[in-house]
Amino acid sequence: MSFTMYSTPWCGYCHRLRSQLDREGITYDVVDIEQQPEAAAIVEQVNGGNQTVPTLVFADGSAQTNPSLAQIKEKLAALA
């Protein structure tokens, strides 16, 4: 089960989270909201109009903003 991480190139939290996910072997897609305006709109919708990243959107349509690795693992386990 995978998810999409909405990110920007300059986001330190995004880089840290990506490193943690890569280390754990968790697969995900990355979308740069600065390159894709429709992706920025998704992030704004989830975050009350703010472009807060990292925002993760899971297969069930739920989202997490700036989650911890533990929160992501818990969500993925619930979806499995």
Side-chain angles (χ1 to χ4, degrees):
M1 180 75 50
S2 177
F3 56 88
T4 301
M5 178 191 298
Y6 294 93
S7 179
T8 61
W10 48 265
C11 170
Y13 294 110
C14 301
H15 288 288
R16 186 184 78 229
L17 185 57
R18 289 175 69 174
S19 294
Q20 292 171 339
L21 293 168
D22 292 346
R23 221 176 7 260
E24 294 289 324
I26 297 172
T27 59
Y28 56 96
D29 296 317
V30 177
V31 176
D32 180 348
I33 67 168
E34 292 186 335
Q35 299 299 319
Q36 298 187 22
E38 66 279 4
I42 292 168
V43 170
E44 289 174 1
Q45 182 180 16
V46 170
N47 294 297
N50 297 312
Q51 291 187 7
T52 308
V53 290
T55 294
L56 281 55
V57 177
F58 296 88
D60 66 354
S62 67
Q64 294 179 344
T65 303
N66 200 13
S68 68
L69 181 60
Q71 289 171 311
I72 296 168
K73 286 179 157 183
E74 185 178 298
K75 179 63 179 180
L76 291 174
L79 291 174

